[in-house]
Amino acid sequence: MSELPTRAELRAKETSAGPTIARHGRLKEHRPFRFILMMLVAVIGVVSVSSVSVAAYALWDVTSSLKAPVKLVDAKGQPIPQVGAIDGAFNVLLAGSDSGGGNASYGERGENLNDVTMLLHVSADHKNMTVVSFPRDMYVPIPACPDGKGGTYDAMSRQKINNTLAYGGLACTVLTVEKLTGMTIPYAGVIEFDGVIEMSNAVGGVPVCVAGDITDPYTGLDVKAGQNTLQGSQALAFLRTRHGVGDGSDLGRISNQQVFLSSLVRTIKSADTLSNPVKVYGLAKAATSNISLSESLNNIGTIASMAVALKDIDLNKVVFVQYPNHYVDGGVAPTEDAATALFSALQNDQSIALTGDTGVGSEADPNAPATDTPATTAPTDGSTAPATEAPADGSTDGSTDAGGTVDLPSTVHGQTANQYTCSKPFSE
């Protein structure tokens, strides 16, 4: 098991892409159990994609079922302030730490990398929610980061994004994503292994479709083709697996995670979950017990306001997208034109529509129930052909329809929470 390089070593390597490889799927992991935690984002569509949101929505849902309240006033006879929806657009960064959180059952872990990094964006009108997943092996510039002692760590021109949590903590991960995307991120949190297990248990398991048997000795995953209800350690193994899905790469793992996330959102929004106080409180407890929040988010009023803002978002408007990237020696690099199209749309509060496929780790579920999926979402047959008119030359400029929706290039992968997909077993 290799150790995370020192900051001096990172500085010395910042201009090197690392060992040349034939493809991303052959990248050597820092250790056998490379974790890929994604949860906080599991609340997006109702409770939004963030564990923070899960707790928030749980609070909203329980309190909304109470009997008519008695109106109180303060000592001066003025009404007591009420919790309403947060004003305008907001962004939350969610990082998945592979430290194990001190749980000895995960073995000795010498690293603390953010192998999962997700940005949740909610539009100003609270009608659109986008969750962007950043590949762990993507080379990005890392800005100067606070060292926690009043000083700063040096900036680096080129390092993999998953080094930021170890280099300068959550604040460094936030600063790096802000620099990369141009977005202001006032809220953030870090979730550990146990959070995934407890959240999947709280909802009674998450149903996922698997296109073929998947086994992964690195994570302990063993699922059969067809529908599987995952919870506990198998849910965590499913989210962590890289060797078992797609082409064996982290990019395949991201699309595999989105299969789970979209199903989790549908499960949370289902009447069976939201009408069950035990499940609702279980979600809230699992989220709050396993997430380290930024000071800005460590406030029940802020979380409740986010929950109110998210409660009515349509599943078709909950979009999971992989940060636009392309292969380079030793990892991947941002595809700048496509990324500009994506984040310009988010900054301008425009809806985005996926025109490409769901990624190398997933495919359309052939037994999916009929849904009211608008024409501007990705093709339901899993193909890469755009469902709406995209640039004929496959360029990454992005087009905009009369309603203000930006069609992302077909090279950008992802899915909505309303799309039913299946995980694809590893294939050479």
Coordinates of all heavy atoms in Angstrom, one line a residue, residues 27 29 37 56 110 124 135 137 153 176 215 258 261 274 276 292 314 347:
L27 N -5.4 2.5 -14.8 CA -4.7 3.3 -13.7 C -4.5 2.5 -12.5 O -5.5 1.8 -12.0 CB -5.5 4.6 -13.4 CG -5.5 5.7 -14.5 CD1 -6.4 6.8 -14.0 CD2 -4.1 6.2 -14.7
E29 N -4.5 2.0 -8.6 CA -5.1 2.6 -7.5 C -4.1 2.8 -6.4 O -3.1 2.1 -6.3 CB -6.2 1.8 -7.0 CG -7.4 1.7 -8.0 CD -8.7 1.3 -7.3 OE1 -8.8 0.1 -7.0 OE2 -9.4 2.2 -7.0
L37 N -17.1 7.5 -2.4 CA -18.2 7.8 -1.6 C -19.0 8.9 -2.3 O -18.4 9.8 -2.8 CB -17.8 8.4 -0.3 CG -18.8 8.5 0.7 CD1 -20.0 9.1 0.4 CD2 -18.9 7.3 1.5
A56 N -32.2 17.7 5.6 CA -33.1 18.8 5.5 C -34.5 18.5 5.1 O -35.5 18.9 5.6 CB -32.5 19.8 4.5
G110 N -3.8 4.8 5.1 CA -2.8 5.8 5.3 C -3.1 7.1 4.6 O -2.3 8.0 4.6
A124 N -31.9 29.6 -9.2 CA -32.5 30.6 -8.4 C -34.0 30.4 -8.2 O -34.6 30.8 -7.2 CB -32.2 32.0 -9.0
P135 N -14.2 13.6 -11.9 CA -13.3 12.4 -11.8 C -12.2 12.5 -10.9 O -11.5 13.6 -10.9 CB -12.9 12.3 -13.3 CG -13.9 13.0 -14.1 CD -14.3 14.1 -13.2
D137 N -9.3 11.3 -11.0 CA -7.9 11.3 -11.6 C -7.8 12.5 -12.6 O -7.0 12.4 -13.5 CB -7.7 10.0 -12.3 CG -7.5 8.8 -11.4 OD1 -6.8 9.0 -10.3 OD2 -8.0 7.7 -11.6
Y153 N -0.6 26.8 2.0 CA 0.1 25.9 1.2 C 0.3 26.5 -0.2 O -0.6 27.2 -0.7 CB -0.6 24.6 1.1 CG -0.7 23.8 2.4 CD1 -2.0 23.4 2.9 CD2 0.4 23.6 3.2 CE1 -2.1 22.7 4.1 CE2 0.2 22.9 4.4 CZ -1.0 22.5 4.8 OH -1.1 21.8 6.0
T176 N -10.4 24.7 -5.0 CA -10.0 24.1 -6.2 C -11.2 24.1 -7.2 O -11.1 24.4 -8.4 CB -9.4 22.7 -6.0 OG1 -8.3 22.8 -5.2 CG2 -9.0 22.1 -7.3
T215 N -19.1 -9.2 -9.9 CA -18.3 -9.5 -8.7 C -17.0 -8.7 -8.7 O -16.4 -8.4 -9.7 CB -17.9 -11.0 -8.7 OG1 -17.2 -11.3 -9.9 CG2 -19.2 -11.9 -8.6
Q258 N -24.3 6.8 -10.5 CA -25.5 7.6 -10.9 C -26.7 6.7 -11.0 O -27.8 7.1 -10.9 CB -25.2 8.4 -12.2 CG -24.2 9.5 -11.9 CD -23.8 10.3 -13.2 OE1 -24.1 9.8 -14.3 NE2 -23.2 11.4 -13.0
L261 N -27.7 6.6 -7.4 CA -28.2 7.8 -6.9 C -29.6 8.2 -7.5 O -30.5 8.6 -6.7 CB -27.2 9.0 -7.3 CG -26.0 9.1 -6.5 CD1 -25.1 10.2 -7.1 CD2 -26.4 9.6 -5.1
L274 N -41.5 8.6 2.4 CA -41.9 9.9 3.0 C -43.1 9.8 4.0 O -43.2 10.7 4.8 CB -42.2 11.0 2.0 CG -41.0 11.3 1.0 CD1 -41.4 12.4 0.1 CD2 -39.8 11.7 1.9
N276 N -43.3 7.3 6.1 CA -42.8 6.5 7.1 C -41.9 7.3 8.0 O -40.7 7.5 7.7 CB -42.1 5.3 6.6 CG -41.7 4.2 7.6 OD1 -41.4 4.6 8.8 ND2 -41.7 3.0 7.2
S292 N -19.2 15.8 8.1 CA -18.6 16.9 8.7 C -18.9 18.1 7.9 O -18.6 18.2 6.7 CB -17.1 16.7 8.8 OG -16.7 15.6 9.6
D314 N -39.0 18.7 -9.9 CA -39.4 17.5 -10.7 C -38.2 16.6 -11.0 O -37.1 17.1 -11.2 CB -40.0 18.0 -12.1 CG -40.6 16.9 -12.9 OD1 -39.9 16.1 -13.5 OD2 -41.8 16.7 -12.8
Q347 N -24.4 29.2 -14.3 CA -24.3 30.5 -13.8 C -25.4 31.4 -14.2 O -25.7 32.4 -13.5 CB -22.9 31.1 -14.2 CG -21.7 30.4 -13.5 CD -20.4 30.8 -14.1 OE1 -20.3 31.3 -15.2 NE2 -19.3 30.4 -13.4

